[in-house]
Each structure stands twice: as structure tokens, then as C-alpha cells.
Amino acid sequence: MQPDSEDDAWRSIVENYGDRAELGPDDHWSAREEPDRSPDRSPDRSPDDDTDEAWESDEERYVPPPPPPLPHLTPDRFAAWTGVFGSPTFLLVALLVGFHIPAWLGYLLVAGFVGGFVYLVIQMPREPRDPGDDGARI
């Protein structure tokens, strides 16, 4: 392409910016299809859907396979998670309700939180992950 023809092409684009293209009767997009307003069609169905079997047949519906069972926590991890979430929850509820807890119980709950957190951090896997790994672990 020569520089003059490129400048002319850009100039024609800018001059005709916003104009609608004139389409003839043979053009595919010139005829607008009106939706079928027959009473046997429900309003939420598409006019392009001509098969009633796809909407009414329960036999052909996709049924996903049953999910795998949930993983079971070992007692040590359960205790650690209970310390991490249970201790602050108990302290917060006691504070909001106005329940006075003894000092030794408060120290025990704080120690449970810190101990559970440290245990979970220590138990994290240390080996390097694959470069394409997204970080999810099961």
C-alpha cells in the first residue's frame, strides 16, 4: 500500500464515521426475524428453539455424578482448627455478652489460638509446587 492510499483510506473512515451501511435486499442481515408470538410458546423460550422435547423431557437431562466424599480431619488437625477459630469466637462472644471469664481461661484460649496456628503452619507442605499449580490443595 502506498502512503497516499493509506491516508485516503483513513480520511474516508473519519468522514463516514457514524454513518450506517446501506444493505440491499439480498444481504443476510437486512431482514430482521420477528419472534414467534404463538400462544403455545412460553415467554422465557427462545424463538430459535424449535424442539419441545429438549424442554419437556426429564429423561435427557444431564445428571452430574455424585460428588466425592468430604475429607475427614485427623484429631490433631481438628484440635488445631478449633483453637484457631473457636478460641477467638469464644472470647468475642464472651466480650459481647458481658460474660466474665477467669484469667487462666483467657490465657488458655489465647494459647490455643497461637498453638493451633503454629501447628497448622508447621504441617504445611514444604516441597516446591509445579509451575502451573494454582495453589489449591486437596
Side-chain angles (χ1 to χ4, degrees):
M1 226 183 212
Q2 297 176 354
D4 293 337
S5 63
E6 187 175 328
D7 289 338
D8 291 339
W10 279 107
R11 191 173 300 112
S12 69
I13 290 172
V14 170
E15 288 173 358
N16 296 322
Y17 179 75
D19 294 342
R20 291 186 162 232
E22 300 276 336
L23 300 177
D26 295 334
D27 293 330
H28 175 69
W29 298 104
S30 64
R32 182 174 176 223
E33 295 179 16
E34 291 295 322
D36 185 14
R37 305 254 187 238
S38 60
D40 63 331
R41 286 202 181 273
S42 63
D44 60 339
R45 292 198 40 209
S46 168
D48 298 331
D49 186 19
D50 294 328
T51 60
D52 291 335
E53 295 85 24
W55 290 87
E56 296 174 3
S57 174
D58 288 338
E59 296 172 2
E60 295 179 11
R61 287 186 156 199
Y62 172 73
V63 178
L70 295 174
H72 296 285
L73 286 177
T74 59
D76 54 342
R77 284 194 186 244
F78 180 75
W81 283 112
T82 302
V84 168
F85 287 114
S87 296
T89 303
F90 183 79
L91 287 171
L92 183 65
V93 168
L95 178 70
L96 292 176
V97 173
F99 179 70
H100 178 72
I101 58 172
W104 63 270
L105 182 58
Y107 291 129
L108 185 67
L109 290 171
V110 170
F113 171 78
V114 171
F117 180 79
V118 168
Y119 177 79
L120 290 172
V121 168
I122 290 172
Q123 293 297 318
M124 288 176 60
R126 303 239 185 263
E127 68 269 0
R129 295 186 292 201
D130 296 332
D133 191 6
D134 64 356
R137 297 259 179 188
I138 297 180

